[in-house]
Amino acid sequence: MVVLSERTGMNIRTKLAALAGAAMVSTCLVASATPASAAGPCGGGYYQIDVYNISNLAGKTVGRTHLYYSRSTKKNCALTYATPAKRGYKAVKLRRSGTLKWTVDAGTFSEYAGPVYVSAPGKCIDIEGYIGGNGATYYSRHCG
């Protein structure tokens, strides 16, 4: 027969209680983080298909425009981020190639411009991103 001292018994109970508490907290954190992260920046069902760099005149990357697509809605979604992240002018534009109308989000933002959406099933898209006075335009992308 093994007899634990009162002191040893308390240490075991204390450790078990601490482990149980930590397990409950980590379970709650994981459960609460999953739905938000699963949706992504464009909402549920979108997956990233490309990233376009925005460079300054010296060739240094100052930002990136991320392009997403949803198979279920057949829509493209885009956002522009500064690299490194900082408050300032940002813009993102998206349109179906061959049209004149851009879907735009532009202004002074802390994190990103967008999201903007365009439906272009069976067509190509054009995408633009701006950070400050620096911009990049990509024509006839992701056709089909």
Side-chain angles (χ1 to χ4, degrees):
M1 171 181 199
V2 177
V3 177
L4 297 173
S5 70
E6 188 64 34
R7 179 178 156 89
T8 306
M10 286 201 50
N11 283 340
I12 291 172
R13 281 193 297 272
T14 303
K15 288 178 184 176
L16 288 175
L19 286 172
M24 286 187 348
V25 169
S26 65
T27 301
C28 290
L29 290 175
V30 169
S32 65
T34 301
S37 62
C42 296
Y46 282 85
Y47 63 95
Q48 187 170 311
I49 58 173
D50 222 333
V51 177
Y52 301 97
N53 287 333
I54 302 167
S55 301
N56 63 16
L57 291 176
K60 180 182 177 194
T61 298
V62 295
R64 291 185 172 87
T65 298
H66 295 239
L67 182 63
Y68 297 83
Y69 181 74
S70 169
R71 287 186 180 115
S72 62
T73 65
K74 308 279 192 261
K75 288 185 179 180
N76 296 280
C77 169
L79 298 96
T80 295
Y81 299 86
T83 307
K86 64 181 177 181
R87 184 169 180 77
Y89 178 79
K90 297 172 186 64
V92 61
K93 297 180 174 185
L94 199 56
R95 73 176 177 189
R96 191 170 5 166
S97 295
T99 65
L100 298 176
K101 185 177 183 204
W102 291 93
T103 302
V104 180
D105 187 34
T108 301
F109 302 111
S110 296
E111 295 184 40
Y112 55 84
V116 295
Y117 301 86
V118 69
S119 179
K123 304 289 182 181
C124 303
I125 59 166
D126 301 335
I127 186 168
E128 287 188 5
Y130 294 89
I131 300 293
N134 305 291
T137 305
Y138 297 90
Y139 296 103
S140 297
R141 301 297 167 137
H142 298 285
C143 305

